[in-house]
């Protein structure tokens, strides 16, 4: 009986793992473009309608793995914070655009187009989309939460957020920084 229960638990864990969403990883090879996910929580957040401060680049020498992706960090302390509670610091929707999920699609998230709402990091794809998302953050989050269960099992986006012309000027430093 014990063997059966262990086998059943392993089978459920395997199925649950297989249904977990893929983290969006851009051409940098790192989650959220190689920017430090913990550092967002130390940045002053701008009011709705104003552009956020740029994300903090991670470093190729300070990394960790989570959700089958490599993450880069600016400091070892930030890496340790992340490893102690990755769900707290990893962006919602596996790093895909929050507005895109609200609209039923899985598109890249630009690490420099961010907002923290109720302690959770959300990314969007372009400055134009940020404007649409910010018109009704609560309503869009309600839609994205409703859509996420069906979107999560879809493959991660393979598009580069940097290849979208509307993102020109949304970053001044490419991440991660080389060790």
């Amino acid at each position: 009986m014990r063997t059966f229960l262990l086998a059943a638990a392993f089978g459920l864990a395997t199925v649950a793992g297989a249904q977990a969403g893929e983290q969006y990883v851009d051409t940098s090879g790192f989650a959220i473009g190689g920017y430090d996910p913990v550092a967002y929580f130390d940045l002053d957040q701008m009011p709705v309608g104003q552009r956020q401060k740029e994300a903090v680049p991670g470093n190729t020498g300070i990394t960790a793995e989570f959700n089958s992706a490599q993450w880069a960090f600016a400091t070892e302390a930030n890496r340790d914070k992340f490893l102690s509670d990755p769900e707290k610091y990893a962006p919602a929707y596996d790093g895909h655009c929050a507005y895109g999920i609200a609209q039923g699609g899985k598109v890249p998230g630009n690490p420099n187009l961010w907002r923290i709402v109720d302690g959770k990091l959300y990314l969007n794809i372009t400055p134009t989309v940020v404007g649409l998302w910010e018109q009704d953050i609560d309503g869009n989050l309600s839609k994205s939460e409703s859509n996420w269960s069906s979107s999560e099992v879809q493959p991660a986006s393979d598009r580069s957020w940097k290849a979208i012309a509307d993102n020109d000027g949304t970053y001044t430093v490419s991440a991660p920084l080389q060790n």
Side-chain angles (χ1 to χ4, degrees):
M1 181 66 169
R2 180 184 160 129
T3 303
F4 172 77
L5 291 175
L6 287 173
F10 177 75
L12 287 174
T14 302
V15 169
Q19 292 181 355
E22 295 178 36
Q23 186 70 43
Y24 170 63
V25 176
D26 69 4
T27 56
S28 72
F30 287 86
I32 57 173
Y35 291 87
D36 184 333
V38 176
Y40 288 98
F41 293 84
D42 293 328
L43 295 173
D44 290 330
Q45 184 162 228
M46 302 304 291
V48 169
Q50 293 184 22
R51 187 171 172 180
Q52 298 287 21
K53 295 180 180 189
E54 279 194 42
V56 175
N59 188 299
T60 59
I62 308 171
T63 64
E65 187 173 322
F66 172 70
N67 196 22
S68 300
Q70 282 294 112
W71 299 73
F73 303 89
T75 67
E76 290 179 5
N78 281 4
R79 180 192 58 206
D80 295 345
K81 281 184 186 178
F82 181 83
L83 289 172
S84 72
D85 192 0
E87 294 291 337
K88 175 181 178 178
Y89 297 106
Y93 315 123
D94 299 326
H96 291 88
C97 173
Y99 186 77
I101 298 298
Q103 299 305 305
K106 216 173 193 183
V107 296
N110 177 333
N112 287 304
L113 302 175
W114 61 275
R115 179 159 299 283
I116 296 171
V117 179
D118 295 331
K120 190 67 184 164
L121 174 62
Y122 296 92
L123 305 177
N124 278 290
I125 189 170
T126 66
T128 300
V129 168
V130 169
L132 295 169
W133 190 69
E134 288 183 343
Q135 286 178 4
D136 184 11
I137 293 173
D138 290 339
N140 285 313
L141 285 177
S142 179
K143 289 177 190 175
S144 59
E145 286 300 310
S146 177
N147 291 341
W148 183 236
S149 62
S150 60
S151 298
E152 184 177 14
V153 297
Q154 301 302 315
S157 176
D158 61 359
R159 295 175 53 201
S160 170
W161 61 272
K162 288 182 180 178
I164 301 168
D166 197 20
N167 281 324
D168 292 348
T170 63
Y171 63 100
T172 57
V173 173
S174 287
L177 301 174
Q178 299 297 313
N179 185 13

